[in-house]
Coordinates of all heavy atoms in Angstrom, one line a residue:
V87 N 116.0 -31.8 -39.7 CA 116.3 -32.7 -40.8 C 115.1 -32.8 -41.8 O 114.0 -32.7 -41.4 CB 116.6 -34.1 -40.2 CG1 116.6 -35.2 -41.3 CG2 117.8 -34.2 -39.3
G88 N 115.5 -32.9 -43.1 CA 114.5 -33.1 -44.1 C 113.7 -31.8 -44.3 O 112.5 -31.9 -44.4
G89 N 114.4 -30.7 -44.4 CA 113.7 -29.4 -44.6 C 112.9 -29.4 -45.8 O 111.7 -28.9 -45.8
H90 N 113.4 -29.8 -47.0 CA 112.6 -29.8 -48.2 C 112.0 -31.2 -48.5 O 110.7 -31.3 -48.4 CB 113.5 -29.5 -49.4 CG 113.9 -28.1 -49.5 ND1 114.9 -27.6 -50.2 CD2 113.4 -27.0 -48.8 CE1 115.1 -26.2 -50.0 NE2 114.1 -25.9 -49.2
G91 N 112.7 -32.2 -48.6 CA 112.2 -33.5 -48.9 C 111.3 -34.1 -47.9 O 110.2 -34.7 -48.2
G92 N 111.6 -33.8 -46.6 CA 110.7 -34.3 -45.6 C 109.7 -33.4 -45.1 O 108.9 -33.6 -44.1
G93 N 109.6 -32.2 -45.7 CA 108.6 -31.1 -45.3 C 108.9 -30.5 -44.0 O 108.0 -29.9 -43.4
A94 N 110.1 -30.7 -43.4 CA 110.2 -30.0 -42.0 C 110.3 -28.5 -41.9 O 109.8 -27.9 -40.9 CB 111.6 -30.5 -41.5
N95 N 110.6 -27.9 -43.1 CA 110.6 -26.4 -43.1 C 109.1 -25.9 -42.9 O 108.9 -25.1 -42.0 CB 111.2 -25.9 -44.4 CG 112.6 -26.0 -44.4 OD1 113.3 -26.4 -43.5 ND2 113.2 -25.7 -45.6
E96 N 108.3 -26.5 -43.7 CA 106.9 -26.1 -43.6 C 106.3 -26.5 -42.4 O 105.5 -25.8 -41.7 CB 106.1 -26.6 -44.8 CG 104.5 -26.2 -44.9 CD 104.4 -24.6 -44.9 OE1 105.3 -24.0 -45.5 OE2 103.5 -24.2 -44.3
L97 N 106.7 -27.7 -41.8 CA 106.1 -28.2 -40.6 C 106.5 -27.2 -39.4 O 105.7 -26.9 -38.5 CB 106.6 -29.6 -40.3 CG 106.1 -30.3 -39.0 CD1 104.6 -30.3 -39.0 CD2 106.7 -31.7 -38.9
A98 N 107.8 -26.8 -39.5 CA 108.2 -25.8 -38.5 C 107.4 -24.6 -38.5 O 107.1 -24.0 -37.4 CB 109.7 -25.6 -38.6
R99 N 107.0 -24.1 -39.6 CA 106.2 -23.0 -39.7 C 104.8 -23.2 -39.1 O 104.2 -22.4 -38.4 CB 106.2 -22.4 -41.1 CG 107.5 -22.0 -41.6 CD 107.4 -21.4 -43.2 NE 108.7 -21.0 -43.6 CZ 109.3 -21.7 -44.5 NH1 108.9 -22.9 -45.0 NH2 110.5 -21.3 -44.9
E100 N 104.2 -24.4 -39.4 CA 102.9 -24.7 -39.0 C 102.9 -24.8 -37.4 O 102.0 -24.4 -36.7 CB 102.4 -26.0 -39.6 CG 102.1 -25.9 -41.0 CD 101.4 -27.2 -41.5 OE1 100.3 -27.4 -41.3 OE2 102.2 -28.1 -42.2
V101 N 104.0 -25.6 -36.9 CA 104.1 -25.8 -35.5 C 104.2 -24.4 -34.8 O 103.6 -24.1 -33.8 CB 105.2 -26.8 -35.2 CG1 105.5 -26.7 -33.7 CG2 104.9 -28.1 -35.7
G102 N 105.1 -23.6 -35.4 CA 105.3 -22.3 -34.8 C 104.1 -21.5 -34.7 O 103.8 -20.8 -33.7
E103 N 103.3 -21.5 -35.7 CA 102.0 -20.8 -35.8 C 101.1 -21.2 -34.8 O 100.4 -20.4 -34.1 CB 101.4 -20.8 -37.2 CG 100.3 -19.9 -37.4 CD 99.8 -19.8 -38.9 OE1 100.5 -20.3 -39.7 OE2 98.7 -19.3 -39.1
L104 N 101.0 -22.5 -34.6 CA 100.0 -23.1 -33.7 C 100.4 -22.9 -32.2 O 99.6 -22.6 -31.3 CB 99.9 -24.6 -34.0 CG 98.8 -25.3 -33.1 CD1 97.5 -24.7 -33.4 CD2 98.8 -26.8 -33.4
L105 N 101.8 -23.0 -31.9 CA 102.2 -23.0 -30.5 C 102.7 -21.5 -30.1 O 103.1 -21.3 -29.0 CB 103.4 -23.9 -30.3 CG 103.0 -25.4 -30.5 CD1 104.3 -26.3 -30.2 CD2 101.9 -25.8 -29.6
G106 N 102.8 -20.5 -31.1 CA 103.3 -19.3 -30.8 C 104.9 -19.3 -30.8 O 105.5 -18.4 -30.1
A107 N 105.5 -20.2 -31.5 CA 107.0 -20.4 -31.5 C 107.5 -19.8 -32.7 O 106.8 -19.7 -33.7 CB 107.3 -21.8 -31.3
E108 N 108.8 -19.4 -32.6 CA 109.4 -18.8 -33.8 C 110.0 -20.0 -34.7 O 110.9 -20.8 -34.1 CB 110.6 -18.0 -33.4 CG 111.4 -17.3 -34.5 CD 110.6 -16.2 -35.2 OE1 109.7 -15.7 -34.6 OE2 110.9 -15.9 -36.4
P109 N 109.6 -20.1 -35.9 CA 110.1 -21.2 -36.7 C 111.6 -20.8 -37.1 O 111.8 -19.7 -37.5 CB 109.2 -21.2 -38.0 CG 108.6 -19.8 -38.0 CD 108.4 -19.4 -36.6
V110 N 112.5 -21.9 -37.0 CA 113.9 -21.6 -37.4 C 114.2 -22.5 -38.5 O 114.2 -23.7 -38.4 CB 114.7 -22.0 -36.1 CG1 116.3 -21.9 -36.5 CG2 114.4 -21.1 -34.9
V111 N 114.4 -21.9 -39.7 CA 114.6 -22.5 -41.0 C 116.0 -22.1 -41.5 O 116.2 -20.9 -41.8 CB 113.6 -22.3 -42.0 CG1 113.9 -23.0 -43.4 CG2 112.2 -22.8 -41.5
T112 N 117.0 -23.0 -41.6 CA 118.3 -22.7 -41.9 C 118.6 -23.2 -43.4 O 119.8 -22.9 -43.7 CB 119.4 -23.2 -41.0 OG1 119.1 -24.6 -40.9 CG2 119.0 -22.6 -39.6

Side-chain angles (χ1 to χ4, degrees):
V87 170
H90 288 163
N95 290 352
E96 183 56 35
L97 180 60
R99 296 185 181 102
E100 289 186 82
V101 170
E103 187 170 349
L104 185 61
L105 299 181
E108 180 72 22
V110 179
V111 176
T112 58

